Amino acid sequence: MANPGYCMIDPEGGPLQVQLSVNNGIKSASLFVLWEKPADEWEQKESFKLVTEDDGVDEHFLLEKPGKLENDVLAWNIQSCAQIDGANRGTFLVSIYQDDKKIWTKASNRKVPYCSSGEHRLFGNEVIFKHKIQTNSRHSELWLLTENP
């Protein structure tokens, strides 16, 4: 089974698109940060915000080329609340696309407070980018199993 903590990317492929989607009348604002560790300390490469409006979706293309993302970490925090009284649970999806194909997704079903109460729910997670092996080797079948369990 594929490890949900890793996103397998094509280093020669197109830019990565990050998408946040929520359902059930949930309002959310999030901060995403792309990190690298070239030496002893983590360094921020990029940050961006995603806000889900009435359609429940927002997206962003990473500025960094996929060939330079090996072992980089995309971390996020999502702050949310329910816009509709009684709709206090929703599903949050963070998905990554490359070349118009979904290559990774993380789903989280959360209970959230009603927005008019003045409270919000904050949660987060992260994913590590790994390059796919691009040559035919004796291990190619193992990599395919990793990507498509």
Side-chain angles (χ1 to χ4, degrees), residues 34-85:
L34 181 63
W35 298 94
E36 73 172 337
K37 191 173 182 184
D40 293 336
E41 306 262 336
W42 286 96
E43 294 178 11
Q44 182 176 317
K45 291 174 95 171
E46 179 180 349
S47 69
F48 56 93
K49 294 179 181 179
L50 295 179
V51 178
T52 58
E53 300 291 341
D54 291 338
D55 65 355
V57 177
D58 197 8
E59 53 197 26
H60 173 82
F61 280 94
L62 292 181
L63 301 175
E64 192 69 54
K65 295 182 188 236
K68 297 188 175 211
L69 289 172
E70 174 78 6
N71 293 320
D72 286 357
V73 175
L74 181 65
W76 60 88
N77 279 322
I78 300 171
Q79 187 174 12
S80 60
C81 61
Q83 296 183 87
I84 301 168
D85 190 16

Side-chain angles (χ1 to χ4, degrees), residues 96-134:
I96 299 174
Y97 294 81
Q98 187 175 33
D99 300 323
D100 296 321
K101 179 182 174 192
K102 186 187 289 188
I103 57 172
W104 184 88
T105 193
K106 174 74 174 173
S108 181
N109 188 296
R110 301 282 177 162
K111 186 173 181 181
V112 297
Y114 186 41
C115 293
S116 69
S117 71
E119 295 181 29
H120 297 88
R121 173 80 189 260
L122 181 66
F123 62 95
N125 214 318
E126 65 186 30
V127 64
I128 301 167
F129 294 114
K130 299 300 269 181
H131 288 165
K132 293 180 186 180
I133 291 180
Q134 299 300 312

